[in-house]
Amino acid sequence: MNTMTYGEAANPAVPSDPDAIPPVNVVALLGGVGGAKLASGLAQLLPPERLTFVINTADDFEHLGLYISPDLDTVMYTLAGLVNPETGWGVKDDTWNALAMLARYEAPTWFCLGDRDLATHLLRTQWLREGFPLTWVTQQLCLLLGVRQTLLPMSDVPVRTRVLTDEGELAFQEYFVRYAWQPRVCAIRFEGIEQAHPTSAVVSALRGADVILFGPSNPFVSLDPILAMPAMRRILSAVRAPRIAISPIVAGQALKGPAAKMMRELNLEVSPVTVAAHYRDLLTGFVLDHQDADCAITISTQMSIRLLVTDIVMHDETDRVRLARETLQFALQQR
Ligand code: FO1
């Protein structure tokens, strides 16, 4: 059972918890499944009004007329306690009647939309068609699902990841889901990025943050779209809050998804050193796994970044809370 360390009534008879996290404003930049795990760990340590998650929307796409926002949904379902624990995305205990009917119509079924999950996409699409921005739509969905933390799309302007592969250029979900990230990646581009800007909600959250975290998400397709928006690096460099990234690479492998395969195909070493170097001018600290402790010297000598070496693989809820706690304690030492 996890210990809730926030919001407990002060009782002088009970010694204060030395591990308690003070009420600080934390903003985390996140992609999908890895980001959602960190978000759920943070959610057990801080009151919801202290937590803002800025989420990649460059994976979003239109499918069968519906607007799908996979990373927003993954974080939202996780925090609502609704996520499918087997996949890390979609809704738990979902059924697949609509998908089976689509198959009968010989419609595309490579992107698996569960019956319950469909409700989210239907409502989001309807509200977007009525003219509401994605930020507002996300806020409403979260409110209705009882998610009290703030989930912010990185932008209300559409950005779409395009993956240039040996089999041609693919829309991100085609590359990721339809072709199960098998085509060889040559380059990645973000369509619409020049026009995209972080929303005013994202900018104020970053300016008011005491700590900024970069989740253990794919640097190239989950966090780069957030960081590639023209104003973003300038805003991040100007804030005084500690900025800490958690490695998505452990012992030469990605925690999830194609990050390691992409690194090999882009002729980069599959190592936390590559990840730290990728963000280097934006970071004050970096968290890597014990199994990569030999990288610590390289990172700390070549880049002026402080390091935390710990267990970063999140197998269960206890791991999520422990990693979130250690990362916050590490960040707070830097203030
Ligand atoms: N990922 C899959 O690998 N296969 C799917 O069929 C699939 C469906 C899906 C439906 C809704 C949703 O919100 C997410 C879904 N995902 C699926 C996950 C998702 O597309 C990827 O994990 C992310 O885009 C990468 O972060």
Side-chain angles (χ1 to χ4, degrees):
M1 176 128 123
N2 296 309
T3 319
M4 303 288 258
T5 50
Y6 68 82
E8 287 162 3
N11 178 352
V14 178
S16 62
D17 177 357
D19 282 342
I21 301 294
V24 285
N25 294 325
V26 175
V27 176
L29 313 183
L30 305 177
V33 179
K37 288 182 178 180
L38 179 69
S40 89
L42 290 166
Q44 305 215 34
L45 296 173
L46 286 165
E49 63 276 11
R50 295 288 185 177
L51 282 174
T52 303
F53 302 121
V54 175
I55 298 168
N56 170 41
T57 53
D59 290 14
D60 294 12
F61 76 132
E62 289 231 355
H63 185 62
L64 301 168
L66 298 177
Y67 185 101
I68 321 272
S69 197
D71 288 359
L72 277 171
D73 287 343
T74 297
V75 178
M76 180 175 76
Y77 290 153
T78 302
L79 293 172
L82 287 175
V83 83
N84 178 339
E86 272 127 50
T87 53
W89 51 264
V91 176
K92 70 177 169 192
D93 303 325
D94 215 340
T95 50
W96 304 95
N97 297 304
L99 200 72
M101 196 65 181
L102 284 167
R104 281 192 66 179
Y105 285 126
E106 298 178 13
T109 52
W110 57 267
F111 196 77
C112 300
L113 295 171
D115 298 332
R116 292 190 176 111
D117 188 27
L118 265 173
T120 305
H121 311 309
L122 285 166
L123 204 51
R124 174 190 290 121
T125 307
Q126 168 71 13
W127 282 336
L128 289 172
R129 286 207 184 122
E130 287 172 15
F132 294 103
L134 187 59
T135 298
W136 182 90
V137 172
T138 306
Q139 188 190 13
Q140 294 306 306
L141 293 172
C142 285
L143 192 72
L144 294 162
L145 290 183
V147 174
R148 291 170 59 215
Q149 296 79 13
T150 304
L151 270 60
L152 297 176
M154 65 186 213
S155 180
D156 283 331
V157 178
V159 177
R160 297 292 172 263
T161 298
R162 310 276 308 174
V163 187
L164 289 106
T165 75
D166 56 353
E167 295 178 30
E169 185 173 296
L170 298 170
F172 180 75
Q173 295 298 339
E174 291 208 314
Y175 162 76
F176 193 93
V177 176
R178 188 172 191 176
Y179 299 112
W181 38 278
Q182 288 315 296
R184 192 182 170 80
V185 174
C186 313
I188 295 156
R189 70 183 183 92
F190 307 122
E191 200 171 81
I193 200 76
E194 295 79 14
Q195 290 74 44
H197 48 83
T199 59
S200 54
V202 168
V203 176
S204 13
L206 290 170
R207 293 203 173 128
D210 299 305
V211 172
I212 297 175
L213 302 178
F214 294 35
S217 305
N218 186 314
F220 309 112
V221 291
S222 294
L223 294 196
D224 269 3
I226 306 179
L227 301 173
M229 287 187 290
M232 201 63 184
R233 284 186 169 250
R234 182 173 42 77
I235 295 165
L236 280 171
S237 307
V239 297
R240 294 190 53 195
R243 281 157 272 135
I244 316 288
I246 299 170
S247 177
I249 298 289
V250 174
Q253 293 189 339
L255 289 172
K256 187 158 173 72
K261 180 172 177 281
M262 281 181 169
M263 282 182 183
R264 279 191 293 276
E265 291 166 358
L266 296 170
N267 294 321
L268 297 166
E269 187 195 351
V270 184
S271 154
V273 179
T274 305
V275 182
H278 191 73
Y279 304 131
R280 100 189 258 174
D281 52 333
L282 293 174
L283 295 184
T284 59
F286 189 75
V287 183
L288 69 163
D289 195 85
H290 283 302
Q291 296 174 70
D292 295 309
D294 55 337
C295 299
I297 293 279
T298 318
I299 299 174
S300 59
T301 52
Q302 291 181 5
M303 310 163 215
S304 321
I305 299 176
R306 292 183 199 198
L307 295 178
L308 171 66
V309 183
T310 185
D311 295 331
I312 66 169
V313 185
M314 292 179 273
H315 299 289
D316 56 23
E317 201 57 33
T318 310
D319 290 337
R320 296 177 186 191
V321 179
R322 183 196 37 76
L323 179 61
R325 183 193 302 281
E326 288 179 10
T327 303
L328 288 178
Q329 285 167 339
F330 170 60
L332 292 171
Q333 284 163 13
Q334 296 180 26
R335 288 209 304 161

